[in-house]
């Protein structure tokens, strides 16, 4: 499974990306409110920062899983799905993300 397939799978089968995005957005808005009025970011800049955080989050999860999954050459996608389901990765990831707090 490549990184884009993984992101598509996460979005389709889990709320983890949506939950992370929501928390990242709240964090970026809090951070922005602490800036001097003249230095505050536009909504576009805040959204861009959130997109970057989400992308880094997905990259980190993908890289950690990739290091632990022994993909079958003939069925690499199925190897990933099997590992994720067997180890309840999505449930654990959702729990972790919902408990996560960003610190200013």
């Amino acid at each position: 499974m490549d990184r884009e397939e993984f992101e598509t799978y996460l979005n389709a089968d889990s709320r983890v990306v949506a939950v992370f995005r929501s928390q990242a957005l709240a964090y970026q808005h809090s951070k922005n409110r602490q800036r001097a009025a003249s230095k505050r970011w536009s909504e576009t800049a805040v959204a861009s920062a959130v997109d970057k955080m989400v992308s880094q989050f997905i990259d980190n999860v993908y890289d950690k899983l990739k290091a632990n999954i022994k993909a079958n050459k003939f069925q690499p996608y199925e190897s990933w799905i099997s590992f994720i389901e067997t180890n309840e990765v999505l449930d654990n990831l959702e729990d972790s993300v919902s408990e996560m707090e960003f610190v200013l």
Side-chain angles (χ1 to χ4, degrees):
M1 181 180 289
D2 66 24
R3 199 259 185 221
E4 287 164 11
E5 288 174 321
F6 179 67
E7 182 174 0
T8 300
Y9 175 77
L10 275 182
N11 285 318
D13 294 298
S14 170
R15 292 187 57 246
V16 71
V17 174
V19 171
F20 184 88
R21 181 176 296 281
S22 173
Q23 289 179 337
L25 184 61
Y27 167 74
Q28 288 294 341
H29 278 299
S30 293
K31 197 171 166 182
N32 203 32
R33 281 191 296 274
Q34 290 184 345
R35 292 185 177 97
S38 62
K39 302 273 184 185
R40 288 202 180 123
W41 291 359
S42 67
E43 280 301 312
T44 304
V46 169
S48 178
V50 169
D51 289 344
K52 185 175 178 182
M53 289 175 71
V54 169
S55 182
Q56 288 174 337
F57 168 73
I58 294 170
D59 288 346
N60 288 339
V61 173
Y62 178 77
D63 289 342
K64 283 186 172 66
L65 285 174
K66 188 176 179 182
N68 289 298
I69 295 175
K70 306 296 182 248
N72 178 325
K73 289 182 215 176
F74 303 107
Q75 296 180 315
Y77 188 87
E78 288 76 11
S79 300
W80 277 72
I81 301 302
S82 176
F83 181 90
I84 290 169
E85 289 175 355
T86 301
N87 294 289
E88 299 178 351
V89 171
L90 295 183
D91 291 338
N92 293 330
L93 197 54
E94 283 183 28
D95 291 345
S96 296
V97 168
S98 58
E99 294 172 6
M100 189 183 325
E101 290 183 29
F102 296 106
V103 180
L104 294 177

